[in-house]
Amino acid sequence: MNAFAAPVADSAADLRTLAAIEQRVLWLSTSMIHHANRVRPNPSGLKVGGHQASSASIATIMTALWFDQLQPEDRVSVKPHASPVLHGIHYLLGELDDHHMGSLREFGGIQSYPSRSKDPDTVDYSTGSVGIGATAPIWGAIARRYAATISGASAQGRQYSLVGDAELDEGAVWEAVLDPHVSDLGEIVWIVDLNRQSLDRVVPNIAAGRLERMFSAAGWQVITVPFGQRLEALLSHPGGAELRRRILDMPNAEYQRLLRCPAAELRHRLPGAEASASAIRALLETVDDDELVATIRNLGGHDLATLREAFAQIDDARPTVIIAYTIKGNGLPTAGHPQNHSSLLTHEQYAQLAQEVGMDPSAPWQRFEPDSPEGRACAATARRLTRDPVPAAVIPAVPADFGRTPSGSGTTQAALGRVLLDLTRSAPEVARRVVTASPDVSTSTNLAGWLNKVGVWSTDDRQDWFEDDPETIMHWRERLSGQHIELGIAEVNLVSLIGELGATWSRWGQPLYPIGVLYDPFVERALEPWSYGMYAGGQSILIGTPSGVSLAAEGGAHQSIKTPSIGIEQPDLLSYEPAFVQEVEWSLLAAMSQMARPGGRSAYLRLSTKPVDQGLAAIPADPAARERRRRQVVAGAYRLRTADAPVATLVAMGVMVPDALRAADRLAALGRQVDVIVVTSPGLLFDAVQARGGQGSADTWILDQVLPAERAVPMVTVLDGHPHALAFLAGIQGVPARHLGVSRFGQAGDLADVYRYHGIDEDSMVRAVLDLAE
């Protein structure tokens, strides 16, 4: 059997038992939302919300998957609005107690959307942000395969995505589907809940045929499940071919309208006005009214036997998509209504549903009797899906300092590759767990030496046809043991991948240090999915380089402005903007030491291609003084120059430090001495400020060492980014200040011209200090 294959369904399984479970799952998911909105007290009066129709749309599919297919090695990403279905299933499996069922969207209760880190029961993938949860199992599959290269274990189990059809509008979905790595991932199975509706309307142009062609062109197996057995039986009779074509060809909105019609009106509307109408009309006359209404609603996504047949067709040699036709709100009074996306059942409709499914509205949280067929099926499923505990991750010790001092001229961007290579020599057990990734910018971000050393990860070993070419400097050696993953030009894919790589310590007990590299201007494009990865527990490092208006010749479109603020504002993130090569080493190692563990953090490093004289860093030769400098660098700031009688403090970050030092020299020549402070992490300094005020628990010692009260003088801050990222520093001692930075779109040009244009050049610094010192 293929390592990813699901078991063959038990031929003796009772579909009636599954149908009863499906009905209970529908009831529980509907009741959770009803309780949250109609029963639980709501003093604020704010909308609680929930998606009863979206849950009903996929209840059959999820019942079939959990109770008839899944194995403990499998992982499932559930579409956001089906969160109540997931928790309803877990309740039947014994994972949740009664009190949880009434806590949907309550503080500390079941989350609005599946959350791996916040929900009380098992959630494989956090979802909620459109497109990100859908693609997460793709990156999870790569992460699991990569982790297996270290552990030596086999990467078993399918990776399922349950996707609403409207979610396929998200561009990130197709960026992932089209990535070259994905066609080799046979464990990927997507199930598309094709209910033809979005939040606002029936979507007019969702066409299964077009989706089939798009997935097929990407190398996926496509299994389409349009009709259930009941409808297929009708279509096998004379006139059936015409009815099939009529249903498949009609607009989505027309079909949705038919779902709301009584039998008489259905007989009038369904045949249509084409030449085939008479054959369809004759076919419809062979069934009674109740049968007709039930049969026209018998789509494949609501037919357990048909879904079982579809699952049995999965080819584990390539990714698979199952396109299952469904009805939004299936089984509810709101079924098929074009505005049912966020609608809630009234008390009367809820009572009607209870009567139909044989439940008591006053006691909604009922499991099956243990000795009933359904109870035994739930118990058997719970046993089958029991997972072995995840072993505690054994985290290797990350060194703090390699002990070497850079000299000459260098860039912080080039330092990245050298630090990684130094890691292979100084701490090989740590280096083996480093995996880098980039969206086709490995060469331009100075990773060539690292790639030559560790190779490129691939699903299998491949020949390097340029191995013997003497003019080839960077060798693309693709192998299972490679430690770099090269993606297409898609930043969303990059951060989604490193987020999943950064979760392997908690999923499979294998700590990794994923490092993604991309151009800093595109960090904002990737921020939302990266943030969602952090929310889901993925700990990774993102390197933004080159950065700022210092990338002068590239023009305004490639000059980042707002990215320094990310490290201040993004939860669970440690950020650094090193000025010198040595600071890249210290900050990267410090970031790695906080990863792959409970309570760990991700990190963002903003690097540059601007050459800087490394002697300006004045790294102390004395070991104790060097360690003091290192601790200050990783805590957020350090004093580079301390004047005897300063008239001002000049605070600089990143590439602006050499310019600030030259400005300090000019001011000294004018008889105005200044202290020079280098900020490496405004986010850490802001945390310290907040903690000093009783808001947070960060260490505050760095403020006392760098900005003590006895040296409170006017302040000028400068950075290659928006000035507000450092503006808060003046408030620490309440001093007058000027804040220099970039607050408008850039221009192409010489570095001096660009700095002058933005007012961050030496002249601007000198003027700002003189203005404050007079």
Side-chain angles (χ1 to χ4, degrees):
M1 179 184 292
N2 185 287
F4 305 122
V8 177
D10 183 358
S11 59
D14 187 353
L15 289 175
R16 289 189 299 275
T17 298
L18 281 180
I21 294 173
E22 172 203 1
Q23 194 174 67
R24 186 65 56 89
V25 167
L26 173 65
W27 166 258
L28 290 171
S29 63
T30 304
S31 296
M32 291 175 70
I33 301 168
H34 181 81
H35 183 92
N37 288 274
R38 306 288 197 196
V39 179
R40 193 170 68 216
N42 183 10
S44 71
L46 293 175
K47 176 185 175 183
V48 177
H51 302 84
Q52 290 173 327
S54 294
S55 293
S57 176
I58 202 168
T60 315
I61 292 171
M62 292 180 66
T63 299
L65 191 59
W66 259 262
F67 292 91
D68 201 40
Q69 294 294 318
L70 288 184
Q71 291 294 287
E73 299 86 4
D74 298 335
R75 299 292 184 271
V76 187
S77 175
V78 177
K79 74 172 189 174
H81 293 162
S83 170
V85 181
L86 176 65
H87 300 299
I89 289 173
H90 286 167
Y91 176 72
L92 293 179
L93 298 182
E95 279 201 49
L96 295 172
D97 295 329
D98 287 8
H99 76 273
H100 287 120
M101 301 301 284
S103 71
L104 178 68
R105 300 190 173 210
E106 187 176 56
F107 184 80
I110 287 176
Q111 299 299 296
S112 308
Y113 309 119
S115 173
R116 186 168 177 261
S117 58
K118 296 181 182 294
D119 272 317
D121 50 339
T122 301
V123 174
D124 292 331
Y125 290 100
S126 296
T127 59
S129 192
V130 177
I132 295 172
T135 62
I138 288 177
W139 315 118
I142 293 177
R144 184 162 195 173
R145 288 194 182 203
Y146 191 93
T149 66
I150 294 177
S151 67
S154 59
Q156 293 185 339
R158 284 177 176 162
Q159 299 275 345
Y160 289 91
S161 285
L162 306 182
V163 187
D165 51 7
E167 194 167 14
L168 296 180
D169 290 345
E170 177 58 54
V173 167
W174 298 105
E175 288 182 356
V177 167
L178 293 172
D179 189 88
H181 288 293
V182 175
S183 61
D184 293 329
L185 303 177
E187 62 266 46
I188 297 296
V189 179
W190 282 21
I191 304 173
V192 178
D193 172 13
L194 192 79
N195 59 45
R196 297 162 301 280
Q197 287 184 242
S198 64
L199 188 151
D200 293 325
R201 59 177 180 158
V202 176
V203 181
N205 295 318
I206 288 180
R210 182 179 52 163
L211 294 175
E212 291 168 5
R213 292 189 295 273
M214 292 169 71
F215 277 104
S216 181
W220 290 49
Q221 178 193 21
V222 179
I223 301 171
T224 303
V225 189
F227 307 131
Q229 291 187 339
R230 193 174 194 169
L231 182 51
E232 283 288 357
L234 179 64
L235 298 177
S236 67
H237 291 85
E242 291 81 357
L243 178 58
R244 182 188 300 274
R245 181 50 49 201
R246 164 80 172 120
I247 294 174
L248 292 175
D249 287 348
M250 70 174 57
N252 291 325
E254 182 180 3
Y255 178 78
Q256 294 294 111
R257 182 65 186 91
L258 293 176
L259 298 176
R260 311 284 297 173
C261 293
E265 191 173 355
L266 190 58
R267 293 181 188 279
H268 172 70
R269 288 174 177 257
L270 183 54
E274 303 298 325
S276 60
S278 58
I280 296 173
R281 192 173 294 110
L283 174 62
L284 300 184
E285 290 175 356
T286 65
V287 295
D288 61 31
D289 287 353
D290 291 342
E291 177 69 15
L292 177 59
V293 171
T295 301
I296 202 64
R297 294 173 174 233
N298 180 225
L299 298 185
H302 301 305
D303 191 289
L304 292 162
T306 300
L307 288 170
R308 177 180 286 178
E309 292 172 358
F311 288 130
Q313 298 174 43
I314 294 174
D315 174 9
D316 289 298
R318 54 180 171 154
T320 296
V321 60
I322 298 173
I323 301 175
Y325 287 45
T326 60
I327 298 170
K328 197 160 189 172
N330 184 62
L332 302 181
T334 57
H337 193 281
Q339 279 84 51
N340 68 7
H341 181 85
S342 297
S343 66
L344 299 169
L345 299 189
T346 64
H347 286 292
E348 293 75 18
Q349 289 173 322
Y350 183 66
Q352 174 190 338
L353 176 65
Q355 184 176 11
E356 291 174 357
V357 300
M359 297 300 293
D360 181 357
S362 65
W365 321 126
Q366 298 295 321
R367 292 188 178 92
F368 294 106
E369 291 296 327
D371 290 334
S372 67
E374 296 81 9
R376 290 192 294 271
C378 290
T381 298
R383 290 191 298 271
R384 171 167 48 84
L385 296 183
T386 298
R387 295 173 180 170
D388 294 332
V390 176
V394 179
I395 304 170
V398 178
D401 187 350
F402 295 142
R404 292 180 286 276
T405 302
S407 59
S409 179
T411 73
T412 55
Q413 174 179 294
L416 172 64
R418 288 200 290 271
V419 171
L420 293 176
L421 289 173
D422 284 343
L423 193 65
T424 64
R425 293 185 285 267
S426 300
E429 72 285 357
V430 175
R432 179 63 187 93
R433 295 179 181 273
V434 171
V435 52
T436 57
S438 70
D440 196 38
V441 294
S442 299
T443 306
S444 54
T445 55
N446 290 90
L447 286 181
W450 165 255
L451 263 68
N452 285 343
K453 175 74 173 179
V454 301
V456 178
W457 181 84
S458 177
T459 53
D460 53 26
D461 292 350
R462 298 173 183 174
Q463 183 170 348
D464 178 11
W465 293 102
F466 289 86
E467 182 75 31
D468 58 349
D469 186 339
E471 296 183 6
T472 299
I473 299 175
M474 186 172 75
H475 290 282
W476 208 257
R477 300 184 180 95
E478 296 180 87
R479 53 195 184 220
L480 278 168
S481 60
Q483 291 181 241
H484 176 79
I485 301 177
E486 187 81 359
L487 301 175
I489 304 175
E491 289 79 12
V492 172
N493 287 354
L494 172 77
V495 296
S496 298
L497 172 61
I498 62 174
E500 289 302 325
L501 287 165
T504 55
W505 66 273
S506 59
R507 289 192 192 279
W508 300 296
Q510 288 297 325
L512 296 176
Y513 303 102
I515 301 174
V517 182
L518 76 168
Y519 292 164
D520 196 65
F522 305 140
V523 169
E524 291 176 82
R525 181 186 300 175
L527 183 57
E528 192 262 343
W530 191 40
S531 174
Y532 211 85
M534 293 181 224
Y535 170 79
Q539 298 165 14
S540 58
I541 296 174
L542 190 62
I543 308 291
T545 183
S547 62
V549 300
S550 294
L551 193 61
E554 293 290 336
H558 277 65
Q559 296 173 358
S560 53
I561 297 173
K562 296 176 288 183
T563 49
S565 303
I566 291 170
I568 303 175
E569 300 164 4
Q570 173 63 42
D572 296 335
L573 183 68
L574 177 67
S575 70
Y576 290 106
E577 184 163 343
F580 300 104
V581 167
Q582 184 63 66
E583 294 168 14
V584 176
E585 175 191 311
W586 287 341
S587 57
L588 183 63
L589 295 176
M592 292 174 60
S593 70
Q594 297 195 41
M595 294 170 60
R597 66 192 67 225
R601 289 191 284 180
S602 294
Y604 161 54
L605 273 66
R606 189 175 191 248
L607 307 182
S608 174
T609 53
K610 180 181 176 181
V612 173
D613 177 5
Q614 298 303 303
L616 295 175
I619 305 295
D622 179 80
R626 178 188 176 97
E627 174 59 14
R628 182 174 186 268
R629 168 71 68 84
R630 186 199 68 81
R631 291 181 67 248
Q632 290 178 334
V633 165
V634 300
Y638 62 95
R639 286 184 160 269
L640 188 53
R641 288 190 185 176
T642 301
D644 292 333
V647 299
T649 299
L650 188 52
V651 180
M653 186 165 75
V655 294
M656 302 312 304
V657 171
D659 301 79
L661 291 173
R662 288 193 294 271
D665 291 340
R666 289 173 54 182
L667 287 163
L670 296 172
R672 304 288 195 275
Q673 294 187 20
V674 297
D675 288 348
V676 179
I677 306 297
V678 178
V679 171
T680 54
S681 177
L684 287 175
L685 296 183
F686 186 78
D687 289 344
V689 171
Q690 292 290 87
R692 177 177 280 182
Q695 297 173 283
S697 58
D699 291 332
T700 61
W701 61 267
I702 189 64
L703 301 179
D704 299 324
Q705 291 191 5
V706 176
L707 294 170
E710 63 270 18
R711 299 191 71 83
V713 290
M715 178 182 291
V716 174
T717 65
V718 60
L719 74 156
D720 185 354
H722 198 282
H724 94 283
L726 297 180
F728 71 93
L729 294 174
I732 294 174
Q733 302 298 346
V735 298
R738 297 287 187 274
H739 304 294
L740 310 182
V742 180
S743 56
R744 51 182 168 167
F745 287 115
Q747 299 280 349
D750 180 81
L751 190 61
D753 292 334
V754 171
Y755 279 5
R756 189 178 306 111
Y757 172 76
H758 290 288
I760 57 174
D761 57 320
E762 292 175 39
D763 287 350
S764 297
M765 295 184 219
V766 171
R767 283 196 300 268
V769 170
L770 293 176
D771 286 346
L772 288 171
E774 294 299 330

